[in-house]
Amino acid sequence: MKAMFNLKTGLTLLAAAAAFSGANAMAAGPAEQPSVVIVHGAFADGSDWAKVIPLLQAKGIKVTAVQNPLTSLADDVAAAKRAIDNQPGKVVLVGHSWGGTVITEAGNDDKVASLVYVAAFAPDAGQATGDLGKDLPPPPGITKLAVDKAGFASLPAAAVAADFAQDVPAKQAAVMAATQGPIALKAFGEKVGTAAWKTRPSWYIVSKNDRMIQPDLERAFAKQINAKTTELPTSHVPQQSRPADVAKVILEAVAASK
C-alpha cells in the first residue's frame, strides 16, 4: 500500500509540475520579435525612412526612427542609445550613410542583436568618418557641400536632385532638400571607440549608383565587416527609391535575430 501511495503521490506531483510549467509557458507567450531602430544620415532627418517604416509595421514590427541632432558623433550616438533603451527587447539597428558611423558605436549596446548598413560608413575602432575612402576619387556630391558660418554643412537643392537622390521624382527631391538636417563638419573628425560590427552579425546594402559615397568604398565596408550584402541599382537613398528592397533586407535581419 505504501508503495502504491508513493507512486500515486509521485504521479500527482509530476502532473502538477507539468501543468505549472505549461501555464508559465502560456503566460510568457512566443518570443517577441526584435524592434527596429533606424538612424538617418547627414543631409536628412527621420522622414527619410517614411516609405520603409510602414512596410515593417505591416509585419507587426515596432519601428523607431531616431532624430539625430547631427551636432557631433557623441550626440548622435546618445540619441540612438536613448531610442535603443526605450525598446522592450532585442533591437535590429539600421544606419544610413553617416548613420552607419553612429550605429557602429551605438550598436555596442547589449540590446542590439544585429546591424544593417544602408549605403553607409562602417569605420573600425579608432577611425573617423573623414578618414575613410581617401584613396578613392571624391564622390561628386561631397564636392558640392555648402558650409555656413557655424560650421554646419548642407547640400544645395540642385545637388540633392543630381547627386543625393537622382532616382526619385523632382518634387520629392525638393522636399528632401527642404527637410534635410545640416551636419556639424567636426563630426566627421570624431573617432569611433569600439566597432559593434566585430561582435554582431551585419547586413549591408550597396548603392551601385551612389554619388555621395563611392560604391567601391561601400563594397569594401561590406567585405570588412563580413556582412550579408545586397547590391541595388540606386542613388544614395535606396530607402526612397527602392523601399521594398530595403525593407526586405531589414526583415531578413529581424528574422535572423529572434
Side-chain angles (χ1 to χ4, degrees):
M1 293 290 293
K2 187 174 181 180
M4 288 181 62
F5 175 79
N6 286 342
L7 179 61
K8 288 177 65 178
T9 302
L11 290 172
T12 300
L13 290 173
L14 284 171
F20 180 77
S21 176
N24 277 351
M26 288 179 66
E32 189 171 0
Q33 66 181 342
S35 303
V36 170
V37 172
I38 302 174
V39 180
H40 66 80
F43 324 121
D45 67 1
S47 68
D48 196 37
W49 287 86
K51 293 182 178 180
V52 172
I53 289 171
L55 300 178
L56 302 177
Q57 291 175 331
K59 299 294 184 180
I61 297 171
K62 182 177 185 292
V63 186
T64 299
V66 177
Q67 297 291 347
N68 288 328
L70 298 176
T71 46
S72 69
L73 175 58
D75 290 346
D76 287 359
V77 168
K81 285 186 172 181
R82 287 194 299 272
I84 293 166
D85 287 343
N86 289 333
Q87 305 312 309
K90 291 181 180 180
V91 171
V92 172
L93 190 58
V94 182
H96 171 245
S97 192
W98 159 255
T101 299
V102 178
I103 70 170
T104 295
E105 187 71 68
N108 291 294
D109 190 287
D110 288 342
K111 281 188 174 182
V112 176
S114 56
L115 306 167
V116 180
Y117 291 81
V118 181
F121 294 104
D124 201 346
Q127 288 185 321
T129 303
D131 297 331
L132 305 174
K134 286 187 173 180
D135 55 336
L136 295 170
I142 292 298
T143 65
K144 300 175 182 178
L145 295 183
V147 182
D148 65 19
K149 293 180 180 179
F152 282 76
S154 59
L155 275 175
V160 172
D163 301 300
F164 191 80
Q166 68 268 26
D167 55 355
V168 306
K171 288 184 178 180
Q172 183 182 341
V175 172
M176 293 171 67
T179 58
Q180 70 175 291
I183 187 169
L185 278 181
K186 67 177 184 179
F188 294 128
E190 294 182 66
K191 295 179 179 180
V192 166
T194 304
W197 50 259
K198 291 186 176 180
T199 55
R200 286 158 178 80
S202 299
W203 282 254
Y204 198 107
I205 295 176
V206 173
S207 292
K208 295 168 69 174
N209 301 321
D210 203 321
R211 293 171 63 84
M212 296 299 299
I213 300 176
Q214 288 286 5
D216 282 343
L217 182 58
E218 294 178 12
R219 294 182 182 102
F221 289 141
K223 182 178 180 180
Q224 173 179 264
I225 69 177
N226 195 30
K228 183 175 181 181
T229 305
T230 299
E231 294 207 8
L232 297 177
T234 63
S235 69
H236 188 55
V237 286
Q239 66 271 25
Q240 293 275 10
S241 58
R242 297 282 287 266
D245 291 323
V246 174
K248 181 180 177 181
V249 173
I250 297 172
L251 290 170
E252 287 178 6
V254 169
S257 302
K258 289 184 180 180

